[in-house]
Amino acid sequence: MASAHAIPSLDEQFEFTAESKRRLIIGIGAGVALVAIGAFLLASGVGSHETHEVVQGTGASEGHDGGHHAYKWTNRLWANVWLNAIYFTGASVIGMFFISYNYLAQAGWSSAFKRIPEALPAYLPYMGIVVLAVFFLAGHDLFHWTNPGLYDKTSTDYDPIIAGKQGFLNTPFYLIRVVLYFTLWYILWRMLRNFSLQEDLHGGTEYYEKSIKFGTAFLVVFAVTSSTSAWDFVMSIDTHWFSTMFGWYTLASWHVTGLAIITLTVVTLKERGYLQIVNENHLHDLGKFMFAFSIFWTYVWFAQFMLIYYANLPEETIYYRERFSGYGGIYKAPFFINIFLNFVFPFLVLMTRDAKRTYIFLKLAAWGIIIGHYFDFYVNIMPGTVGEHAGFGPIEFGMILIFACGFMWSISSQLTKANLIPKNHPMLEETLHHDI
């Protein structure tokens, strides 16, 4: 008679069905239609205020961004492309971050579902192309520091503070950094992915040991580039303002978003009959990760906010004044939604042990975090790019649909390319008996 504790089959092949593909194509099509409708409405003057000029930092900022530019309706379109590209860049690269620190720690428990985080970085090349395209097409509209007059002492636009940052914030060096980010992240992921697939074919520990080495190399690279990319992608939008904690803050936001996506994907696959070796103890650990790093994000958010609030220096406090009371208060709701969805909600939902082992609670917390950190990046990016012309309309929802459906397509395609269970992983025996 078979044992009640028999080990489930290790042969699982994910099927990316025609129906799933059809739904994602419909989602992308709906997104394109919504963006087209939103663009038409903005171009027609519905919901836009063409007669206004947006002062980057509001009139009370006293030169917060050292100048202003005339608003164009296309700014909102490009700002939304940039917002989603940066959000999904982070969600993608965190898959590599997750498997790398698990390799370094020689963790066994996560090997049961490592194919999921392993699939996320496949989206990076597409996001890299989008980031570069937006910078070339609309960089001058989104990034105040690209105005050459800021660095010319004879120009009325000259800004000594921004001019002092020219060594870092100049177009050639910026483009070099952006290309380096995506190239290094993607190449190192391809290497780990190849080792993982070779390990499936040949077994042994050779590829596992190589994965530890190159995973550690990625962590060294990411220790630097996670911060510098946050400065380039987000902080440089508000060119005058800076925070020494911003790199950690953005990494915390990206990290917990990636954890929520991994958890949501694992639970969804289990509901569809996949990942039979993943038990409630694995889910409990994923729940603890989401719970812990939601608190960590809040710690960094509050530390940054509290230090600026307490010091009360105008050149620093303007960043929060814009988001809390500037531009007619249009960012106040997203500001508080951000805090609620990223701390209060997951903290309450995941507080108990049983909640971390229950599908519905894990899915609720994961969706809250995924949506909440979209608001996080929205609040960070939109004030400096579109100011009082922000909002939530067809363009916003359409862009989310396009990027999210593309992301799901990329993940699903990667999952079909290997067995869902890394059956020759050296730590597989540990994950099969994972118990906490």
Side-chain angles (χ1 to χ4, degrees), residues 344-417:
V344 179
F345 185 71
F347 182 79
L348 295 176
V349 170
L350 295 174
M351 186 177 290
T352 66
R353 173 183 171 87
D354 288 344
K356 299 182 189 74
R357 293 167 170 254
T358 307
Y359 288 0
I360 185 62
F361 288 116
L362 288 170
K363 289 165 72 175
L364 277 173
W367 274 117
I369 290 167
I370 291 166
I371 295 169
H373 283 282
Y374 173 85
F375 278 100
D376 188 19
F377 281 94
Y378 182 93
V379 169
N380 283 330
I381 290 172
M382 287 300 181
T385 53
V386 297
E388 65 188 347
H389 302 277
F392 286 97
I395 280 184
E396 283 71 26
F397 292 109
M399 284 294 178
I400 294 168
L401 265 177
I402 293 168
F403 279 83
C405 288
F407 189 48
M408 287 187 279
W409 187 293
S410 175
I411 294 171
S412 300
S413 296
Q414 285 299 312
L415 291 179
T416 64
K417 295 178 180 179

Side-chain angles (χ1 to χ4, degrees), residues 247-278:
W248 282 104
Y249 172 80
T250 303
L251 173 60
S253 186
W254 274 349
H255 186 215
V256 75
T257 302
L259 291 171
I261 291 168
I262 292 167
T263 304
L264 186 62
T265 307
V266 169
V267 171
T268 302
L269 288 173
K270 279 198 66 64
E271 288 179 331
R272 295 181 181 181
Y274 296 107
L275 297 178
Q276 294 183 32
I277 70 168
V278 172

Side-chain angles (χ1 to χ4, degrees), residues 13-255:
Q13 194 67 40
F14 177 75
E15 183 184 2
F16 189 14
T17 64
E19 176 63 19
S20 297
K21 293 177 181 178
R22 186 180 70 85
R23 289 178 181 176
L24 291 177
I25 291 170
I26 290 172
I28 292 171
V32 171
L34 283 170
V35 170
I37 292 168
F40 174 77
L41 293 174
L42 288 177
S44 304
V46 179
S48 66
H49 308 281
E50 297 289 349
T51 58
H52 289 273
E53 283 190 328
V54 178
V55 178
Q56 290 205 339
T58 76
S61 70
E62 299 180 1
H64 170 51
D65 268 336
H68 62 273
H69 61 80
Y71 171 80
K72 298 178 292 186
W73 72 265
T74 52
N75 290 17
R76 183 163 161 183
L77 175 68
W78 291 120
N80 273 281
V81 178
W82 188 263
L83 164 63
N84 282 276
I86 302 311
Y87 178 85
F88 283 100
T89 291
S92 302
V93 75
I94 288 305
M96 180 65 177
F97 183 51
F98 181 86
I99 58 176
S100 294
Y101 64 66
N102 273 276
Y103 272 127
L104 179 60
Q106 298 188 38
W109 72 279
S110 58
S111 59
F113 57 87
K114 73 183 287 283
R115 293 289 190 231
I116 286 87
E118 200 174 273
L120 304 188
Y123 205 44
L124 281 173
Y126 306 103
M127 293 302 94
I129 292 168
V130 172
V131 166
L132 289 170
V134 173
F135 187 78
F136 279 116
L137 294 171
H140 186 65
D141 295 323
L142 300 182
F143 296 92
H144 183 56
W145 59 265
T146 57
N147 177 6
L150 297 168
Y151 311 100
D152 182 0
K153 290 185 178 181
T154 64
S155 171
T156 56
D157 291 332
Y158 177 70
D159 187 314
I161 295 177
I162 297 178
K165 300 182 180 185
Q166 190 177 14
F168 187 80
L169 287 179
N170 62 80
T171 298
F173 190 28
Y174 184 90
L175 290 172
I176 289 169
R177 291 196 303 273
V178 171
V179 171
L180 275 175
Y181 299 150
F182 286 97
T183 302
L184 288 171
W185 295 344
Y186 184 73
I187 288 175
L188 287 166
W189 169 72
R190 286 301 317 173
M191 295 183 76
L192 257 67
R193 174 69 166 170
N194 183 58
F195 294 151
S196 180
L197 298 179
Q198 290 298 314
E199 184 180 79
D200 264 17
L201 295 175
H202 306 295
T205 60
E206 177 188 356
Y207 295 106
Y208 177 73
E209 289 167 358
K210 286 182 179 179
S211 296
I212 293 174
K213 291 176 183 177
F214 283 93
T216 304
F218 171 80
L219 292 175
V220 173
V221 169
F222 199 56
V224 177
T225 56
S226 61
S227 286
T228 55
S229 63
W231 304 341
D232 287 334
F233 295 154
V234 184
M235 196 168 75
S236 69
I237 291 171
D238 294 273
T239 317
H240 265 220
W241 184 83
F242 71 93
S243 165
T244 55
M245 298 183 71
F246 201 81
W248 282 104
Y249 172 80
T250 303
L251 173 60
S253 186
W254 274 349
H255 186 215

